[in-house]
Amino acid sequence: MSTPSPVRPSVVSQALARDRLGVPSVIMFALTAAAPLMVVGALVSTGWGVVGTTGFPLAFLIIAVILAVFSFGYVAMSRHITNAGAFYSYIAQGLGRPLGVGGAMVALVAYNLLQVGLYGAFGFFASQLLADKAKINVDWWVVALVLWLFVAILGLLRVDVNSKVLMVLLGAELIVVTLFDVIFFSHPAGGSVSVEPWTWSALKDSAGPAFAVATTAFVGFEAAPVFAEEAKSKNRTVAMATFLGLAVMLLSYSLTSWAASASMGVDQTVDLARQSIDQGGPFFPTLIEKGGAWAGDLGTVLLVTSIGAAALSYHNTTARYAFALGRERVLPSFFGRTLARSGAPMAGSLFQTIIAAVVIVLFAAAGWDPMVNLFFWLGTSGGVGVLLLVFATSLSVIFYFVRDARGEGAWSRLVAPILATVALGYVMWQVFDNFGLLLGFAPGAENAAVWAFPAAYGIAAVVGILWALILRGLNRQDYEAIGLGARANTVRIESAEAAEVR
């Protein structure tokens, strides 16, 4: 009688690595997805010129308050649903599986836009740094491909390795951003610090586009539930990472954008930004003028590493969304596999890497502007997609807990979600009513980009809804597993057994 061959461990699995991330590590993924220096030194610095307002500090405050109110229900729902596809699974279980799959398709589009847009800013600033300091002239897309390779490799390693890299980069960045705030506030234009950027008069004419930029800046706050399957003490980790992440983001974004504008002169900021938009905006020239060349050099180096860290963070989030959809067979099942040694979502990571490479090559071949067209347009449009998901998730929280309170208090399961839904609806109306202004076009101007980005989300949502309905007819077991995360296989088996009994 022959003995069976020993079973060799598979190189793939259907589960993410468990218990590898504590609160600090999850916070790293949240904060580095919207790194402070990148947000103000690149996003806001470009936004001053494109949007034409200095009211970003107030916009950050308004959006942060709305997201904080939203987060009470979001965190409450995370206590009952653990899934790497957080928005997708919450919408599926709150508003129904078809809308959940529609939301999943929107999420894939949004996070890919956010991630690939960062390669434009990285290539732009890194190539400038090489030309200025090393006298090496290289096209932006060549440098962008170096970051692309770095992210591709790290995306397949253990998630805690990724978090340690992000922790070092974020720590250095927060220290330096604080130093820059001191420099700016110590050298205000006209001898006094203007508070005009905090007033509604500075914001009201461009509120919609400014809200879109601010929402883009806060993308990452929602990352904690995405990594919940890999987190230690899940409930405590998700709550602390979400609220602490929002607080740190608000403080750093508002203070730094206010300090920089006050230092260059609030009444001159927009004009300076428009004059220097093809050089990356006025943030670093002002920093050099007020703090010296060393400050500009240090800031540029950390900006480049900040963008790289954000690209890695978005890559991890996007790959996990694809993993969640593959595990539940909304996408082909191979997306639901992970590398056994690292626990990384292999197919999702490679898929995102391929998309990024295609976009970089396309923009390079077409000669499109890496800062305005790739970074700002794609990044802010990705932020708008996340805004749509936050709105849908806020509605989902209400419907989810109406059916069963699950021991949650009225504030978390009902009052806060209703307030957040109303506020988010207002913000969405402002954003879409002024979408052309967000991209830098005059009111009433006709350009394909003005409708193409919103249309892309509409198409993605419709495709997802239709696919869910088709899946319901083709394979009831897979349809029943939508949105259930790690429980998907169990439910699929139970559903099949019940069908056999009938």
Side-chain angles (χ1 to χ4, degrees):
M1 180 175 170
S2 61
T3 58
S5 301
V7 178
R8 299 180 62 187
S10 171
V11 296
V12 295
S13 171
Q14 287 187 310
L16 294 166
R18 295 187 179 277
D19 298 327
R20 282 189 177 166
L21 300 176
V23 175
S25 296
V26 176
I27 290 174
M28 292 310 108
F29 282 105
L31 292 181
T32 50
L37 194 54
M38 179 198 74
V39 166
V40 181
L43 184 64
V44 172
S45 193
T46 304
W48 282 323
V50 175
V51 177
T53 182
T54 58
F56 285 109
L58 180 58
F60 288 134
L61 177 61
I62 292 171
I63 295 300
V65 170
I66 293 173
L67 293 179
V69 174
F70 159 79
S71 293
F72 283 98
Y74 186 57
V75 169
M77 207 164 182
S78 75
R79 288 192 279 266
H80 306 279
I81 301 173
T82 302
N83 194 330
F87 284 146
Y88 146 68
S89 58
Y90 295 0
I91 296 170
Q93 295 199 40
L95 299 180
R97 294 177 180 86
L99 287 177
V101 177
M105 298 301 111
V106 170
L108 286 178
V109 173
Y111 282 109
N112 272 293
L113 286 175
L114 285 159
Q115 204 275 346
V116 299
L118 291 170
Y119 291 111
F122 182 88
F124 178 85
F125 285 108
S127 61
Q128 274 197 339
L129 187 64
L130 288 173
D132 292 343
K133 302 304 173 185
K135 307 305 178 186
I136 299 174
N137 294 312
V138 60
D139 289 332
W140 71 266
W141 57 269
V142 176
V143 186
L145 286 174
V146 174
L147 173 63
W148 169 83
L149 181 61
F150 172 78
V151 170
I153 293 171
L154 279 184
L156 295 175
L157 299 181
R158 285 167 51 119
V159 69
D160 50 333
V161 173
N162 282 246
S163 72
K164 288 180 174 63
V165 172
L166 297 177
M167 191 178 300
V168 172
L169 295 176
L170 179 63
E173 184 181 355
L174 287 174
I175 293 171
V176 170
V177 165
T178 302
L179 176 61
F180 291 168
D181 290 346
V182 173
I183 291 173
F184 285 133
F185 279 130
S186 300
H187 300 84
S192 62
V193 175
S194 171
V195 296
E196 185 181 343
W198 291 96
T199 64
W200 181 250
S201 61
L203 178 64
K204 63 179 181 179
D205 292 335
S206 302
F211 287 153
V213 173
T215 302
T216 302
F218 281 107
V219 172
F221 89 97
E222 81 291 351
V226 175
F227 295 92
E229 291 185 44
E230 300 155 276
K232 304 171 185 176
S233 304
K234 182 200 75 168
N235 291 343
R236 173 176 169 269
T237 298
V238 169
M240 287 188 65
T242 301
F243 287 105
L244 185 57
L246 273 173
V248 173
M249 288 178 187
L250 171 61
L251 189 63
S252 58
Y253 299 164
S254 293
L255 279 180
T256 307
S257 59
W258 177 30
S261 182
S263 186
M264 66 184 69
V266 173
D267 58 342
Q268 301 180 52
T269 300
V270 171
D271 288 339
L272 287 172
R274 286 172 174 166
Q275 293 166 15
S276 59
I277 198 166
D278 57 345
Q279 283 89 46
F283 182 88
F284 287 103
T286 303
L287 182 60
I288 293 170
E289 177 189 344
K290 303 299 174 72
W294 68 269
D297 292 343
L298 178 61
T300 303
V301 169
L302 282 176
L303 172 64
V304 169
T305 60
S306 169
I307 296 169
L312 178 60
S313 184
Y314 283 139
H315 175 88
N316 277 279
T317 300
T318 308
R320 278 155 180 78
Y321 262 95
F323 165 82
L325 295 171
R327 178 172 58 186
E328 296 168 26
R329 299 183 185 174
V330 174
L331 291 180
S333 60
F334 63 79
F335 279 100
R337 295 180 178 274
T338 61
L339 289 171
R341 288 187 177 182
S342 67
M346 177 182 61
S349 182
L350 292 174
F351 178 64
Q352 206 286 317
T353 297
I354 292 170
I355 290 174
V358 170
V359 172
I360 293 171
V361 171
L362 174 63
F363 272 74
W368 292 330
D369 188 290
M371 277 299 292
V372 175
N373 299 132
L374 181 50
F375 171 67
F376 192 80
W377 281 19
L378 267 63
T380 52
S381 296
V384 170
V386 173
L387 176 63
L388 289 169
L389 293 168
V390 172
F391 175 78
T393 302
S394 191
L395 276 176
S396 301
V397 174
I398 298 170
F399 284 93
Y400 181 76
F401 287 116
V402 161
R403 293 192 290 267
D404 184 349
R406 291 175 168 82
E408 299 290 343
W411 168 256
S412 295
R413 63 180 169 80
L414 190 62
V415 179
I418 289 174
L419 291 175
T421 300
V422 172
L424 288 164
Y426 169 75
V427 171
M428 284 175 52
W429 173 74
Q430 286 280 354
V431 168
F432 285 104
D433 191 48
N434 296 277
F435 202 84
L437 294 178
L438 173 63
L439 302 183
F441 299 111
E446 294 185 6
N447 187 287
V450 174
W451 56 264
F453 289 110
Y457 288 126
I459 293 170
V462 170
V463 168
I465 291 170
L466 291 177
W467 172 238
L469 295 175
I470 292 171
L471 194 61
R472 183 171 64 184
L474 291 178
N475 192 318
R476 190 72 188 191
Q477 288 77 35
D478 285 347
Y479 178 79
E480 295 291 339
I482 288 174
L484 297 182
R487 295 173 48 230
N489 282 336
T490 301
V491 172
R492 197 178 286 119
I493 293 170
E494 291 174 350
S495 179
E497 292 174 346
E500 289 178 5
V501 171
R502 289 195 298 268

